[in-house]
Amino acid sequence: MFKLVFPMMLAAAAGISLVVQQALNANLRTALGSAAWSGFISYFIGVICMAALAFLLQDPVPSASIAARIPWFAWSGGLFGAIFIGLGIFLVPQLGAATFFVLLIAGQMLGSIAFDHFGLLGVPVHPISAVRLAGAALLVGGVILIRM
């Protein structure tokens, strides 16, 4: 059990970091008067941090032959990150952080159930079950309760 406690704590910390990120991005949007530039700055700082991490880990730069073998859709993760950042910049001030994130988590859970069931994008297949659907329904119920 303890073997899972630390990774679970890290996952919770990652969740907290998303709230901090979106709050900071929303504040930056207000200060700059631009959602696009606040999103750009968020990603620019992120690129610098990831480059520093790659340098610290001494990861070699992937070769062109490796890059050429990667399917086209595998390169699109940043697009979906940008969608998340952009929507958070607009929606956190309107909905509040709690509502935004409970809806985000509900959407992630519903999407995850579909990806698991159909094995989309190489995700291992885990069929839909009544228990998994009940968990998703409880999350949707949480959305309703958070909004009250």
Side-chain angles (χ1 to χ4, degrees):
M1 177 65 178
F2 181 72
K3 188 175 183 178
L4 290 178
V5 171
F6 186 64
M8 292 170 103
M9 289 172 53
L10 288 176
I16 293 168
S17 77
L18 291 176
V19 177
V20 172
Q21 176 192 40
Q22 290 301 337
L24 291 172
N25 287 344
N27 289 334
L28 189 58
R29 172 192 177 203
T30 300
L32 295 175
S34 171
W37 282 111
S38 64
F40 175 83
I41 290 168
S42 178
Y43 265 91
F44 182 71
I45 299 299
V47 166
I48 291 170
C49 290
M50 291 309 298
L53 179 63
F55 177 76
L56 287 171
L57 295 175
Q58 299 179 350
D59 284 351
V61 176
S63 69
S65 64
I66 289 174
R69 290 191 306 248
I70 297 171
W72 66 269
F73 57 84
W75 298 96
S76 64
L79 167 66
F80 293 97
I83 291 168
F84 165 69
I85 295 292
L87 288 175
I89 289 168
F90 281 111
L91 297 175
V92 166
Q94 292 176 33
L95 300 174
T99 299
F100 174 76
F101 276 97
V102 77
L103 287 165
L104 178 82
I105 292 166
Q108 286 175 325
M109 186 56 55
L110 295 171
S112 296
I113 287 172
F115 270 65
D116 280 353
H117 182 74
F118 296 107
L120 300 174
L121 297 177
V123 172
V125 173
H126 297 279
I128 291 176
S129 68
V131 172
R132 295 178 118 213
L133 288 176
L138 288 171
L139 278 171
V140 172
V143 170
I144 294 165
L145 292 174
I146 291 280
R147 285 299 295 169
M148 292 182 138

